[in-house]
Amino acid sequence: MAEIQLRNLSKRWGSFVGVQNFDLTIGNEEFLVLLGPSGCGKTTTMRMIAGLEDITEGEIIIDGKVVNDLEPKDRDVAMVFQSYGLYPHMNVYENIRFPLKVRKVDPATHDERVRRASAMVELDEFLHRKPAELSGGQRQRVALARAIVREPNVFLMDEPLSNLDAKLRVSTRAQIKNLSHELKVTTVYVTHDQIEAMTLADRVVVMSKGIVQQVGTPTDIYDMPANTFVASFIGSPAMNLVDGTLSGGTFTAKDIEISGLTGPDGPVTLGFRAEDASVSDGPAQVNANVYSMELLGDATMVTIRAGGAMLSVKAHKEYRSEIGDAVSYSVPSEICHLFDATSGERIG
Ligand code: ATP
């Protein structure tokens, strides 16, 4: 059982702000993902929770207890890093057992605990091997088993999949999801990969430049991005964003005219997702020329230049056209998002 409260947490080095006023309660057994581009403060936040980084301002409360001044070893949190951090001279069994020795856990229980943890990550056959004799995925599983063996209240994972190849990343991702569900441990997971965030998280925290941009379920964040930063960070491809003018509910920009919108007259940023627009034979809201086409297997991604921006539109997998062809797209007003042209905040 562990609820983690982050109360107005800030980290500064001199005048440089790494994390600013991070305020959130992470529920017991929740899988929370910190997502954002490189340098946005994800790792710093996690290191503060772990006790590896001093806090400039604010409080961290785990299970009702302020832990600001507790040493990492006294926090009952287990960390898994991108670099596995295994001891090269120890075999897999000894690596997994190590945290039990350090914490002076009753030696009579070690063998059973090591075997249970290694079975959970399917490492039973590799217990005698040294890390150098393992693949990247197997090493990462040793690191996971070493975190599991402690039976901590909190898991902190910092990009644990980033050293794995694409296929292994997908299978290890599923394994992490399954483990966190089975073990019922509160988990904070750092990644810059939005697919990882969307597939793993109960809730996602999107960060930029040390500041939380939005907290929500993957669906919330995808369907109702709070601002243009979140809109352009979530989704593959990113949401199309076009600057233009709203007047009497009609948005206009070069090549684009969409009516039936609700919002204040004036300059706005309009957003829509590639998968929500479709090629149109009849009256269309976007008229442009094809810039490029990519076959994705299950669909064709068409890039067009319209409204002074490059826009992506997903078409049927059989759809074919030539670069330069004139094309028309239907972009229904119901699927459009509106953002303030200056602040980027969502307005509709
Ligand atoms: P990445 O995905 O690249 O790991 P991140 O979101 O985890 O990025 P952090 O490692 O939290 O980013 O770093 C946040 C910001 O704080 C960065 O701009 C980084 O350069 C800065 N920073 C980190 N550690 C220090 C330090 N010890 N002294 C000064 N600045 C630091």
Side-chain angles (χ1 to χ4, degrees):
M1 289 279 285
E3 179 187 85
I4 308 172
Q5 291 170 267
L6 308 178
R7 289 283 160 260
N8 236 0
L9 207 55
S10 295
K11 177 69 193 183
R12 290 187 292 274
W13 291 277
S15 62
F16 182 84
V17 179
V19 175
Q20 194 175 331
N21 298 103
F22 196 128
D23 202 75
L24 182 72
T25 299
I26 306 166
N28 182 37
E29 295 180 25
E30 179 168 10
F31 200 115
L32 185 88
V33 175
L34 303 180
L35 173 70
S38 180
C40 73
K42 310 178 292 287
T43 300
T44 303
T45 305
M46 169 155 296
R47 286 172 57 82
M48 288 194 282
I49 300 173
L52 299 169
E53 194 79 72
D54 286 338
I55 298 167
T56 311
E57 246 167 46
E59 270 184 340
I60 298 179
I61 302 166
I62 301 181
D63 247 351
K65 194 161 116 194
V66 178
V67 300
N68 286 29
D69 298 322
L70 279 191
E71 290 293 314
K73 67 174 172 49
D74 299 325
R75 293 195 184 192
D76 203 12
V77 302
M79 282 194 83
V80 180
F81 298 97
Q82 157 184 355
S83 60
Y84 322 114
L86 304 180
Y87 296 104
H89 59 285
M90 294 184 192
N91 67 20
V92 170
Y93 184 98
E94 290 159 345
N95 263 289
I96 298 174
R97 183 169 64 160
F98 190 71
L100 301 178
K101 278 184 140 175
V102 172
R103 281 177 182 71
K104 306 204 168 27
V105 174
D106 177 5
T109 67
H110 288 192
D111 190 59
E112 197 232 322
R113 287 174 71 161
V114 170
R115 286 183 194 280
R116 189 153 26 115
S118 56
M120 291 189 93
V121 295
E122 292 157 38
L123 277 172
D124 331 41
E125 295 169 38
F126 302 98
L127 293 174
H128 59 282
R129 295 225 198 146
K130 296 273 175 63
E133 297 158 351
L134 298 172
S135 71
Q138 290 160 347
R139 282 180 215 170
Q140 193 52 280
R141 272 152 46 203
V142 180
L144 277 173
R146 198 176 48 183
I148 294 168
V149 81
R150 285 181 46 192
E151 298 169 12
N153 273 331
V154 178
F155 273 147
L156 301 177
M157 304 199 185
D158 194 352
E159 310 238 8
L161 305 180
S162 55
N163 283 340
L164 308 182
D165 68 38
K167 201 168 160 205
L168 203 53
R169 213 176 303 152
V170 172
S171 58
T172 314
R173 187 173 79 199
Q175 194 164 31
I176 287 178
K177 175 104 185 174
N178 185 276
L179 276 176
S180 81
H181 179 77
E182 293 237 318
L183 297 169
K184 303 190 190 313
V185 176
T186 309
T187 303
V188 182
Y189 185 105
V190 162
T191 182
H192 62 267
D193 180 329
Q194 48 116 1
I195 309 236
E196 231 168 271
M198 302 298 265
T199 49
L200 286 170
D202 292 323
R203 280 190 304 165
V204 181
V205 177
V206 184
M207 298 179 73
S208 168
K209 298 183 182 150
I211 297 172
V212 172
Q213 303 293 313
Q214 186 169 7
V215 182
T217 64
T219 313
D220 290 342
I221 295 215
Y222 185 85
D223 290 343
M224 297 284 271
N227 56 39
T228 47
F229 176 83
V230 178
S232 58
F233 198 74
I234 302 286
S236 182
M239 183 182 283
N240 293 305
L241 294 173
V242 194
D243 293 328
T245 310
L246 194 66
S247 173
T250 299
F251 173 88
T252 41
K254 183 176 174 287
D255 309 319
I256 301 179
E257 184 173 311
I258 301 174
S259 306
L261 296 162
T262 314
D265 286 0
V268 293
T269 302
L270 176 112
F272 67 91
R273 295 206 179 272
E275 53 271 36
D276 292 335
S278 53
V279 182
S280 169
D281 296 329
Q285 288 81 26
V286 176
N287 294 294
N289 297 92
V290 172
Y291 179 79
S292 76
M293 280 212 322
E294 293 159 74
L295 307 184
L296 303 180
D298 60 342
T300 303
M301 192 61 72
V302 188
T303 305
I304 56 174
R305 211 195 278 271
M310 290 284 207
L311 306 179
S312 307
V313 182
K314 215 169 183 178
H316 194 265
K317 67 175 181 178
E318 316 279 299
Y319 177 80
R320 293 290 177 274
S321 62
E322 299 292 327
I323 290 175
D325 278 359
V327 281
S328 303
Y329 290 98
S330 153
V331 182
S333 58
E334 314 82 78
I335 56 94
C336 290
H337 306 250
L338 286 176
F339 302 96
D340 186 279
T342 316
S343 67
E345 294 300 312
R346 176 181 202 87
I347 51 174

